[in-house]
Amino acid sequence: PQQNQGILQPCFHQMFEAQTNINADNIALVWQEQTITYRELNIKANRLARLLLQRGIEQELKHQEVLITVYLE
């Protein structure tokens, strides 16, 4: 959690996990003819996060607030 004016604010990944717990089987994304549920998206996001950590991204970002974006074709 991040602190904003003395109030703890959840991080994005924490808010997404909470949304996943509530809406696991609901559609989170639609692209052309494909859909993906919150559960599926969360699994993919966690897989990507573990891969980034294994590749050392945590060491590069230590003590910095950074948003990592991913571009896929």
Side-chain angles (χ1 to χ4, degrees):
Q2 297 177 350
Q3 194 163 1
N4 184 5
Q5 299 176 350
I7 300 170
L8 286 179
Q9 301 290 324
C11 295
F12 177 81
H13 71 280
Q14 293 167 323
M15 292 187 295
F16 187 81
E17 290 277 347
Q19 195 62 241
T20 297
N21 290 335
I22 296 167
N23 297 301
D25 296 319
N26 291 345
I27 295 172
L29 292 174
V30 176
W31 184 72
Q32 294 182 352
E33 302 286 322
Q34 299 177 351
T35 61
I36 187 168
T37 65
Y38 281 94
R39 182 189 326 271
E40 293 166 328
L41 183 57
N42 192 43
I43 289 169
K44 291 176 185 295
N46 286 335
R47 212 176 279 151
L48 176 59
R50 282 192 296 277
L51 177 66
L52 290 172
L53 290 172
Q54 288 171 356
R55 299 220 173 151
I57 195 74
E58 186 175 38
Q59 295 300 321
E60 294 178 29
L61 302 177
K62 210 170 226 173
H63 307 295
Q64 298 178 38
E65 283 191 34
V66 176
L67 175 63
I68 298 172
T69 59
V70 177
Y71 173 77
L72 303 172
E73 282 194 50

